[in-house]
Amino acid sequence: MLENILLDPRFQMALHTTNFEEQPISDRTLSRFRIRCVNYETTHNVDLYHDCVTNLAESAAKMMGIDKRICRMDSLMIESNIRRLSCMELLYTCIAKLISYLHKNGHDDLIGHMAHYYDPNDFNHVIYHCSDVDVKDRMKVLFKDADALLEKCGGAFDSVTDYQLFVRYLSEQTVVEDGTCRLRTKENGGMHSSILQNPSDTNATHREKAGKQHRGYVANVEESVGKNGFIVTNYQFEANNKSDRELLQEHLEKIGHQDERSTIIADGAYSGSENVEAADKQNINLVTTDLTGKDADPIMGRFAFNEDGTALISCPTGYAPKSNWYNKATGAVNVSFGREKCAHCPARERCHSKIFKRVNKLTVSLKMANQARIQERMKSEEFKPLARLRNGVETVPLDFAEHLQCRSHAGSRKIPM
């Protein structure tokens, strides 16, 4: 970026600096820009970078003749440029940062025997050079110091960032037992994905996807497609513990109802009857190339329900049920039919109804019916070209992913290849 601005007149024209004898940029310019964007968003709840990117994309789409009625969507993991810390390293770092703050601000009376924490060589000594000492014993010492530090600080430093991180670590990853701290275990509820990963990036979260562990963020990219090409017209940038389904739901809620019927093409991670219905309410046709969960028998798609799915209107043969009972907890409807109506029905074996003395009973749901209908639609000739169109979003340029670094709160990110 620095080389381009210094040497490429296209960048200088974009910045209106073509008549400058020297370009007003340094290696700190981008970092300062990120900080200003984050501070503005924190104060005004307005993401200037996102607005800038989407407005430019809107203009470019008009120039290219892309009307945005067909979009494809995919997510990508954005790795935080932070070191993976062990439990011991993270605890030590939180204690050391708070001790350093107290030392720099004249609170040495609260430090006592813990003065060694602000020695720059102490980290290696405690973590690596004492490997002959059992890890449990070293953790006990750290927890003992943490308890003492927490008691001495009291509530006098609640507004200090280093103290907040120290307390956050203790509240998220430890429990108090017999008056002392220890690490949280599965029996205590385990560790959730949003716990502190590294004090250098307090917003980074943990997620395991496709057998790989990720610490950082997730970007959800929407790419508009037309005869004249394609262009990224919108994106979301969130903590990586948000699923693709949740990202889609947020996107639909944000864009609102569309004047013209449009189509979003995505992979199976975005599927689900709830998302299909939510998209349809916004006048959007959601097409996914795969579905999560078990396949439903096509016969289930022929059951007719009322609008909210709380009652069955008719079975595939056209018979109305004798009784309906809706289970709010599961979203399923328990229905019964007269035995004589089901006795010779060719679909009875596929419905898996249970035969009783006077009636046949079965459990169905609107979600199951929608799943079957979507499966049938995925086999149609109309679906195939849309499925092939989705593959292009897998090649979202890496440079766009790198641009998302500017959106990141920590300011420095690495994109996994």
Side-chain angles (χ1 to χ4, degrees):
M1 177 65 75
L2 290 173
E3 290 178 357
N4 284 331
I5 292 174
L6 294 173
L7 304 174
D8 194 329
R10 295 174 300 176
F11 282 76
Q12 296 172 15
M13 184 174 291
L15 295 172
H16 303 284
T17 60
T18 52
N19 62 336
F20 284 32
E21 291 185 6
E22 293 185 6
Q23 295 300 313
I25 190 169
S26 71
D27 56 353
R28 292 295 308 277
T29 302
L30 296 180
S31 297
R32 290 167 181 156
F33 166 71
R34 295 183 181 113
I35 292 171
R36 288 197 297 270
C37 287
V38 170
N39 289 341
Y40 188 91
E41 183 180 358
T42 303
T43 305
H44 302 285
N45 197 29
V46 176
D47 185 353
L48 295 175
Y49 185 79
H50 178 273
D51 292 347
C52 178
V53 170
T54 53
N55 289 338
L56 287 172
E58 185 83 23
S59 300
K62 289 180 180 179
M63 291 173 59
M64 297 171 66
I66 299 174
D67 60 9
K68 301 200 304 179
R69 283 185 297 175
I70 297 180
C71 302
R72 50 195 182 192
M73 184 175 286
D74 198 16
S75 63
L76 62 154
M77 306 301 289
I78 309 293
E79 288 293 309
S80 179
N81 192 20
I82 55 176
R83 182 184 174 191
R84 179 180 177 180
L85 299 178
S86 66
C87 294
M88 183 188 298
E89 291 172 323
L90 183 54
L91 175 57
Y92 178 95
T93 302
C94 290
I95 294 174
K97 287 177 73 67
L98 180 55
I99 292 290
S100 296
Y101 171 84
L102 295 174
H103 174 63
K104 290 177 182 178
N105 290 273
H107 299 288
D108 289 327
D109 55 312
L110 301 177
I111 297 175
H113 69 282
M114 295 177 281
H116 62 91
Y117 281 100
Y118 57 78
D119 181 352
N121 298 316
D122 189 61
F123 178 86
N124 288 336
H125 174 74
V126 173
I127 303 300
Y128 302 117
H129 300 167
C130 294
S131 56
D132 55 327
V133 180
D134 187 68
V135 172
K136 291 183 178 179
D137 293 334
R138 283 184 283 169
M139 287 295 289
K140 285 180 181 179
V141 174
L142 291 174
F143 279 130
K144 186 176 180 181
D145 289 343
D147 286 336
L149 190 58
L150 188 65
E151 183 179 353
K152 289 182 178 181
C153 288
F157 302 96
D158 289 347
S159 61
V160 177
T161 301
D162 292 327
Y163 180 77
Q164 292 171 356
L165 292 176
F166 171 70
V167 173
R168 176 182 170 184
Y169 173 86
L170 294 178
S171 62
E172 290 179 342
Q173 304 189 33
T174 68
V175 293
V176 178
E177 187 176 70
D178 298 329
T180 58
C181 280
R182 65 167 177 82
L183 283 176
R184 186 181 293 271
T185 62
K186 289 184 178 180
E187 289 73 19
N188 306 120
M191 307 283 191
H192 52 83
S193 61
S194 60
I195 62 172
L196 182 67
Q197 302 294 315
N198 189 309
S200 299
D201 190 349
T202 58
N203 297 309
T205 52
H206 175 268
R207 181 178 177 182
E208 187 168 334
K209 185 177 182 180
K212 295 182 180 179
Q213 293 189 354
H214 302 274
R215 286 169 175 80
Y217 304 85
V218 62
N220 190 49
V221 179
E222 181 190 67
E223 190 175 51
S224 298
V225 184
K227 293 181 180 179
N228 300 325
F230 48 85
I231 185 171
V232 174
T233 49
N234 208 336
Y235 73 90
Q236 296 160 266
F237 190 85
E238 302 287 349
N240 71 7
N241 56 2
K242 279 196 174 181
S243 67
D244 291 348
R245 286 189 180 188
E246 291 175 298
L247 291 170
L248 176 61
Q249 290 166 5
E250 288 185 5
H251 174 72
L252 293 172
E253 185 177 348
K254 186 174 182 179
I255 64 174
H257 189 272
Q258 304 297 295
D259 295 331
E260 293 186 78
R261 185 74 174 177
S262 59
T263 300
I264 293 180
I265 310 166
D267 60 29
Y270 295 84
S271 66
S273 57
E274 299 90 350
N275 281 0
V276 172
E277 292 172 10
D280 190 60
K281 288 180 181 178
Q282 307 290 22
N283 200 23
I284 295 172
N285 176 31
L286 176 62
V287 177
T288 57
T289 55
D290 198 2
L291 295 173
T292 55
K294 296 181 179 179
D295 289 344
D297 192 302
I299 197 71
M300 304 309 295
R302 301 175 195 172
F303 282 91
F305 290 82
N306 64 352
E307 188 175 350
D308 57 2
T310 56
L312 183 70
I313 298 173
S314 64
C315 72
T317 313
Y319 292 122
K322 188 176 181 179
S323 66
N324 270 290
W325 180 76
Y326 178 66
N327 188 334
K328 290 184 180 179
T330 62
V333 181
N334 298 315
V335 297
S336 65
F337 291 88
R339 183 171 177 176
E340 70 283 355
K341 292 182 178 179
C342 297
H344 303 292
C345 178
R348 186 174 62 83
E349 294 296 328
R350 296 171 64 185
C351 292
H352 304 290
S353 61
K354 296 180 180 179
I355 304 173
F356 293 88
K357 187 175 182 180
R358 295 182 179 178
V359 297
N360 276 28
K361 293 184 178 181
L362 70 154
T363 301
V364 291
S365 68
L366 180 59
K367 183 178 180 180
M368 188 187 303
N370 287 336
Q371 181 95 341
R373 290 166 192 157
I374 295 172
Q375 287 172 196
E376 284 295 298
R377 187 176 61 173
M378 290 171 62
K379 296 176 183 178
S380 66
E381 290 298 321
E382 179 187 1
F383 176 83
K384 291 179 181 179
L386 293 175
R388 287 194 293 267
L389 188 64
R390 193 211 69 86
N391 295 333
V393 77
E394 297 286 353
T395 61
V396 171
L398 182 63
D399 57 351
F400 177 78
E402 290 173 342
H403 285 323
L404 292 178
Q405 293 177 3
C406 293
R407 169 64 179 82
S408 167
H409 288 204
S412 180
R413 296 287 177 266
K414 56 184 180 182
I415 314 297
M417 300 295 288

PDB file of all heavy atoms in Angstrom, residues 11 25 31 34 72 153 160 171 178 197 219 249 253-254 287 302 330 371 373 392 405 410 416:
ATOM      1  N   PHE A  11      -3.363   5.890  -7.433  1.00  0.00           N
ATOM      2  CA  PHE A  11      -3.649   6.038  -6.011  1.00  0.00           C
ATOM      3  C   PHE A  11      -3.596   7.515  -5.611  1.00  0.00           C
ATOM      4  O   PHE A  11      -4.409   7.984  -4.814  1.00  0.00           O
ATOM      5  CB  PHE A  11      -2.638   5.234  -5.184  1.00  0.00           C
ATOM      6  CG  PHE A  11      -2.913   3.760  -5.149  1.00  0.00           C
ATOM      7  CD1 PHE A  11      -2.620   2.957  -6.244  1.00  0.00           C
ATOM      8  CD2 PHE A  11      -3.476   3.163  -4.038  1.00  0.00           C
ATOM      9  CE1 PHE A  11      -2.881   1.601  -6.223  1.00  0.00           C
ATOM     10  CE2 PHE A  11      -3.742   1.811  -3.996  1.00  0.00           C
ATOM     11  CZ  PHE A  11      -3.445   1.026  -5.103  1.00  0.00           C
ATOM     12  N   ILE A  25       2.192  10.358   3.729  1.00  0.00           N
ATOM     13  CA  ILE A  25       1.888   9.044   4.295  1.00  0.00           C
ATOM     14  C   ILE A  25       3.153   8.450   4.887  1.00  0.00           C
ATOM     15  O   ILE A  25       4.270   8.698   4.395  1.00  0.00           O
ATOM     16  CB  ILE A  25       1.295   8.104   3.231  1.00  0.00           C
ATOM     17  CG1 ILE A  25       0.758   6.829   3.883  1.00  0.00           C
ATOM     18  CG2 ILE A  25       2.312   7.781   2.142  1.00  0.00           C
ATOM     19  CD1 ILE A  25      -0.067   5.982   2.940  1.00  0.00           C
ATOM     20  N   SER A  31      -2.160   2.579  10.651  1.00  0.00           N
ATOM     21  CA  SER A  31      -2.514   2.258  12.044  1.00  0.00           C
ATOM     22  C   SER A  31      -3.339   3.378  12.669  1.00  0.00           C
ATOM     23  O   SER A  31      -4.330   3.123  13.363  1.00  0.00           O
ATOM     24  CB  SER A  31      -1.248   2.018  12.869  1.00  0.00           C
ATOM     25  OG  SER A  31      -0.546   0.899  12.390  1.00  0.00           O
ATOM     26  N   ARG A  34      -6.855   3.252  11.287  1.00  0.00           N
ATOM     27  CA  ARG A  34      -7.668   2.218  11.931  1.00  0.00           C
ATOM     28  C   ARG A  34      -8.159   2.681  13.297  1.00  0.00           C
ATOM     29  O   ARG A  34      -9.320   2.484  13.662  1.00  0.00           O
ATOM     30  CB  ARG A  34      -6.849   0.924  12.087  1.00  0.00           C
ATOM     31  CG  ARG A  34      -6.457   0.259  10.777  1.00  0.00           C
ATOM     32  CD  ARG A  34      -5.719  -1.045  11.068  1.00  0.00           C
ATOM     33  NE  ARG A  34      -5.311  -1.710   9.839  1.00  0.00           N
ATOM     34  CZ  ARG A  34      -4.060  -1.874   9.453  1.00  0.00           C
ATOM     35  NH1 ARG A  34      -3.074  -1.405  10.201  1.00  0.00           N
ATOM     36  NH2 ARG A  34      -3.767  -2.500   8.334  1.00  0.00           N
ATOM     37  N   ARG A  72     -24.345 -14.022  -4.555  1.00  0.00           N
ATOM     38  CA  ARG A  72     -23.838 -15.257  -3.937  1.00  0.00           C
ATOM     39  C   ARG A  72     -23.089 -14.874  -2.662  1.00  0.00           C
ATOM     40  O   ARG A  72     -22.510 -13.785  -2.565  1.00  0.00           O
ATOM     41  CB  ARG A  72     -22.940 -16.012  -4.912  1.00  0.00           C
ATOM     42  CG  ARG A  72     -21.850 -15.200  -5.578  1.00  0.00           C
ATOM     43  CD  ARG A  72     -21.279 -15.950  -6.764  1.00  0.00           C
ATOM     44  NE  ARG A  72     -20.185 -15.210  -7.405  1.00  0.00           N
ATOM     45  CZ  ARG A  72     -19.668 -15.521  -8.576  1.00  0.00           C
ATOM     46  NH1 ARG A  72     -20.151 -16.557  -9.249  1.00  0.00           N
ATOM     47  NH2 ARG A  72     -18.675 -14.823  -9.094  1.00  0.00           N
ATOM     48  N   CYS A 153      -6.140  -4.604  45.179  1.00  0.00           N
ATOM     49  CA  CYS A 153      -6.685  -3.587  44.264  1.00  0.00           C
ATOM     50  C   CYS A 153      -8.103  -3.193  44.653  1.00  0.00           C
ATOM     51  O   CYS A 153      -8.512  -2.042  44.454  1.00  0.00           O
ATOM     52  CB  CYS A 153      -6.665  -4.102  42.829  1.00  0.00           C
ATOM     53  SG  CYS A 153      -5.008  -4.194  42.111  1.00  0.00           S
ATOM     54  N   VAL A 160      -9.642   0.879  34.738  1.00  0.00           N
ATOM     55  CA  VAL A 160      -8.344   0.625  34.090  1.00  0.00           C
ATOM     56  C   VAL A 160      -8.439  -0.629  33.228  1.00  0.00           C
ATOM     57  O   VAL A 160      -8.887  -1.678  33.691  1.00  0.00           O
ATOM     58  CB  VAL A 160      -7.233   0.466  35.149  1.00  0.00           C
ATOM     59  CG1 VAL A 160      -5.904   0.124  34.495  1.00  0.00           C
ATOM     60  CG2 VAL A 160      -7.121   1.734  35.985  1.00  0.00           C
ATOM     61  N   SER A 171     -12.876 -14.278  35.972  1.00  0.00           N
ATOM     62  CA  SER A 171     -14.308 -14.589  35.959  1.00  0.00           C
ATOM     63  C   SER A 171     -14.661 -15.622  34.882  1.00  0.00           C
ATOM     64  O   SER A 171     -15.569 -16.422  35.078  1.00  0.00           O
ATOM     65  CB  SER A 171     -15.119 -13.310  35.731  1.00  0.00           C
ATOM     66  OG  SER A 171     -14.810 -12.742  34.463  1.00  0.00           O
ATOM     67  N   ASP A 178     -12.708 -23.670  48.022  1.00  0.00           N
ATOM     68  CA  ASP A 178     -12.027 -23.649  49.323  1.00  0.00           C
ATOM     69  C   ASP A 178     -11.206 -22.371  49.512  1.00  0.00           C
ATOM     70  O   ASP A 178     -10.091 -22.394  50.054  1.00  0.00           O
ATOM     71  CB  ASP A 178     -11.119 -24.878  49.476  1.00  0.00           C
ATOM     72  CG  ASP A 178     -11.898 -26.175  49.431  1.00  0.00           C
ATOM     73  OD1 ASP A 178     -13.066 -26.162  49.856  1.00  0.00           O
ATOM     74  OD2 ASP A 178     -11.353 -27.190  48.956  1.00  0.00           O
ATOM     75  N   GLN A 197      -8.669 -14.614  24.622  1.00  0.00           N
ATOM     76  CA  GLN A 197      -7.643 -15.419  23.956  1.00  0.00           C
ATOM     77  C   GLN A 197      -6.244 -14.846  24.173  1.00  0.00           C
ATOM     78  O   GLN A 197      -5.283 -15.591  24.341  1.00  0.00           O
ATOM     79  CB  GLN A 197      -7.924 -15.490  22.453  1.00  0.00           C
ATOM     80  CG  GLN A 197      -9.285 -16.059  22.092  1.00  0.00           C
ATOM     81  CD  GLN A 197      -9.422 -17.511  22.477  1.00  0.00           C
ATOM     82  OE1 GLN A 197      -8.532 -18.323  22.243  1.00  0.00           O
ATOM     83  NE2 GLN A 197     -10.548 -17.860  23.086  1.00  0.00           N
ATOM     84  N   ALA A 219     -15.647 -13.075   8.296  1.00  0.00           N
ATOM     85  CA  ALA A 219     -16.222 -12.123   7.346  1.00  0.00           C
ATOM     86  C   ALA A 219     -17.257 -12.854   6.505  1.00  0.00           C
ATOM     87  O   ALA A 219     -17.012 -13.971   6.038  1.00  0.00           O
ATOM     88  CB  ALA A 219     -15.138 -11.528   6.453  1.00  0.00           C
ATOM     89  N   GLN A 249     -29.091 -14.278   8.919  1.00  0.00           N
ATOM     90  CA  GLN A 249     -30.254 -13.683   9.569  1.00  0.00           C
ATOM     91  C   GLN A 249     -30.025 -12.209   9.864  1.00  0.00           C
ATOM     92  O   GLN A 249     -30.916 -11.374   9.658  1.00  0.00           O
ATOM     93  CB  GLN A 249     -30.569 -14.448  10.858  1.00  0.00           C
ATOM     94  CG  GLN A 249     -31.119 -15.852  10.614  1.00  0.00           C
ATOM     95  CD  GLN A 249     -31.106 -16.716  11.863  1.00  0.00           C
ATOM     96  OE1 GLN A 249     -30.765 -16.247  12.954  1.00  0.00           O
ATOM     97  NE2 GLN A 249     -31.457 -17.983  11.720  1.00  0.00           N
ATOM     98  N   GLU A 253     -32.089  -9.020   8.126  1.00  0.00           N
ATOM     99  CA  GLU A 253     -32.737  -8.015   8.975  1.00  0.00           C
ATOM    100  C   GLU A 253     -32.239  -6.607   8.644  1.00  0.00           C
ATOM    101  O   GLU A 253     -33.009  -5.645   8.649  1.00  0.00           O
ATOM    102  CB  GLU A 253     -32.460  -8.331  10.443  1.00  0.00           C
ATOM    103  CG  GLU A 253     -33.177  -7.417  11.418  1.00  0.00           C
ATOM    104  CD  GLU A 253     -32.936  -7.801  12.867  1.00  0.00           C
ATOM    105  OE1 GLU A 253     -32.404  -8.908  13.113  1.00  0.00           O
ATOM    106  OE2 GLU A 253     -33.260  -6.995  13.747  1.00  0.00           O
ATOM    107  N   LYS A 254     -30.955  -6.507   8.308  1.00  0.00           N
ATOM    108  CA  LYS A 254     -30.367  -5.194   8.038  1.00  0.00           C
ATOM    109  C   LYS A 254     -30.822  -4.626   6.698  1.00  0.00           C
ATOM    110  O   LYS A 254     -31.135  -3.434   6.591  1.00  0.00           O
ATOM    111  CB  LYS A 254     -28.840  -5.298   8.072  1.00  0.00           C
ATOM    112  CG  LYS A 254     -28.140  -3.965   7.939  1.00  0.00           C
ATOM    113  CD  LYS A 254     -26.644  -4.110   8.123  1.00  0.00           C
ATOM    114  CE  LYS A 254     -25.957  -2.753   8.030  1.00  0.00           C
ATOM    115  NZ  LYS A 254     -24.487  -2.868   8.225  1.00  0.00           N
ATOM    116  N   VAL A 287     -31.306 -19.731  -2.054  1.00  0.00           N
ATOM    117  CA  VAL A 287     -30.956 -20.996  -2.702  1.00  0.00           C
ATOM    118  C   VAL A 287     -29.667 -21.501  -2.072  1.00  0.00           C
ATOM    119  O   VAL A 287     -28.634 -20.828  -2.109  1.00  0.00           O
ATOM    120  CB  VAL A 287     -30.755 -20.813  -4.217  1.00  0.00           C
ATOM    121  CG1 VAL A 287     -30.314 -22.127  -4.860  1.00  0.00           C
ATOM    122  CG2 VAL A 287     -32.032 -20.310  -4.868  1.00  0.00           C
ATOM    123  N   ARG A 302     -45.574 -33.062   0.833  1.00  0.00           N
ATOM    124  CA  ARG A 302     -46.946 -32.971   0.326  1.00  0.00           C
ATOM    125  C   ARG A 302     -47.967 -32.778   1.451  1.00  0.00           C
ATOM    126  O   ARG A 302     -49.172 -32.702   1.184  1.00  0.00           O
ATOM    127  CB  ARG A 302     -47.280 -34.222  -0.483  1.00  0.00           C
ATOM    128  CG  ARG A 302     -46.338 -34.433  -1.660  1.00  0.00           C
ATOM    129  CD  ARG A 302     -46.621 -35.737  -2.375  1.00  0.00           C
ATOM    130  NE  ARG A 302     -45.520 -36.101  -3.272  1.00  0.00           N
ATOM    131  CZ  ARG A 302     -45.427 -37.258  -3.901  1.00  0.00           C
ATOM    132  NH1 ARG A 302     -46.379 -38.173  -3.734  1.00  0.00           N
ATOM    133  NH2 ARG A 302     -44.390 -37.519  -4.679  1.00  0.00           N
ATOM    134  N   THR A 330     -41.264 -28.753  20.587  1.00  0.00           N
ATOM    135  CA  THR A 330     -40.568 -29.351  19.444  1.00  0.00           C
ATOM    136  C   THR A 330     -40.986 -28.757  18.105  1.00  0.00           C
ATOM    137  O   THR A 330     -40.315 -28.974  17.094  1.00  0.00           O
ATOM    138  CB  THR A 330     -40.830 -30.863  19.401  1.00  0.00           C
ATOM    139  OG1 THR A 330     -42.244 -31.096  19.227  1.00  0.00           O
ATOM    140  CG2 THR A 330     -40.367 -31.517  20.699  1.00  0.00           C
ATOM    141  N   GLN A 371     -38.240 -28.911   4.505  1.00  0.00           N
ATOM    142  CA  GLN A 371     -36.987 -29.593   4.166  1.00  0.00           C
ATOM    143  C   GLN A 371     -37.173 -30.473   2.948  1.00  0.00           C
ATOM    144  O   GLN A 371     -36.350 -30.482   2.024  1.00  0.00           O
ATOM    145  CB  GLN A 371     -36.511 -30.434   5.364  1.00  0.00           C
ATOM    146  CG  GLN A 371     -35.203 -31.187   5.140  1.00  0.00           C
ATOM    147  CD  GLN A 371     -34.005 -30.440   5.656  1.00  0.00           C
ATOM    148  OE1 GLN A 371     -34.079 -29.241   5.865  1.00  0.00           O
ATOM    149  NE2 GLN A 371     -32.910 -31.146   5.850  1.00  0.00           N
ATOM    150  N   ARG A 373     -39.456 -30.154   0.610  1.00  0.00           N
ATOM    151  CA  ARG A 373     -39.724 -29.329  -0.575  1.00  0.00           C
ATOM    152  C   ARG A 373     -38.436 -28.732  -1.136  1.00  0.00           C
ATOM    153  O   ARG A 373     -38.242 -28.655  -2.349  1.00  0.00           O
ATOM    154  CB  ARG A 373     -40.717 -28.216  -0.220  1.00  0.00           C
ATOM    155  CG  ARG A 373     -42.123 -28.730   0.051  1.00  0.00           C
ATOM    156  CD  ARG A 373     -42.972 -27.674   0.710  1.00  0.00           C
ATOM    157  NE  ARG A 373     -44.222 -28.238   1.219  1.00  0.00           N
ATOM    158  CZ  ARG A 373     -44.946 -27.705   2.195  1.00  0.00           C
ATOM    159  NH1 ARG A 373     -44.533 -26.581   2.791  1.00  0.00           N
ATOM    160  NH2 ARG A 373     -46.061 -28.281   2.592  1.00  0.00           N
ATOM    161  N   GLY A 392     -18.349 -19.506  -7.799  1.00  0.00           N
ATOM    162  CA  GLY A 392     -17.468 -18.363  -8.028  1.00  0.00           C
ATOM    163  C   GLY A 392     -17.137 -17.583  -6.785  1.00  0.00           C
ATOM    164  O   GLY A 392     -16.093 -16.934  -6.711  1.00  0.00           O
ATOM    165  N   GLN A 405      -8.694  -6.021   7.106  1.00  0.00           N
ATOM    166  CA  GLN A 405      -7.803  -5.765   8.234  1.00  0.00           C
ATOM    167  C   GLN A 405      -8.048  -4.361   8.796  1.00  0.00           C
ATOM    168  O   GLN A 405      -7.918  -4.125   9.990  1.00  0.00           O
ATOM    169  CB  GLN A 405      -6.346  -5.893   7.793  1.00  0.00           C
ATOM    170  CG  GLN A 405      -5.945  -7.314   7.420  1.00  0.00           C
ATOM    171  CD  GLN A 405      -4.524  -7.373   6.913  1.00  0.00           C
ATOM    172  OE1 GLN A 405      -3.832  -6.365   6.886  1.00  0.00           O
ATOM    173  NE2 GLN A 405      -4.083  -8.531   6.513  1.00  0.00           N
ATOM    174  N   ALA A 410      -8.050  -4.754  16.362  1.00  0.00           N
ATOM    175  CA  ALA A 410      -6.672  -4.868  16.834  1.00  0.00           C
ATOM    176  C   ALA A 410      -5.696  -4.234  15.854  1.00  0.00           C
ATOM    177  O   ALA A 410      -4.562  -3.960  16.203  1.00  0.00           O
ATOM    178  CB  ALA A 410      -6.302  -6.330  17.050  1.00  0.00           C
ATOM    179  N   PRO A 416      -5.738 -16.542   6.784  1.00  0.00           N
ATOM    180  CA  PRO A 416      -5.250 -17.889   6.512  1.00  0.00           C
ATOM    181  C   PRO A 416      -5.425 -18.232   5.041  1.00  0.00           C
ATOM    182  O   PRO A 416      -6.479 -17.998   4.452  1.00  0.00           O
ATOM    183  CB  PRO A 416      -6.134 -18.776   7.404  1.00  0.00           C
ATOM    184  CG  PRO A 416      -7.382 -17.987   7.578  1.00  0.00           C
ATOM    185  CD  PRO A 416      -6.980 -16.535   7.560  1.00  0.00           C
TER     186      PRO A 416
END
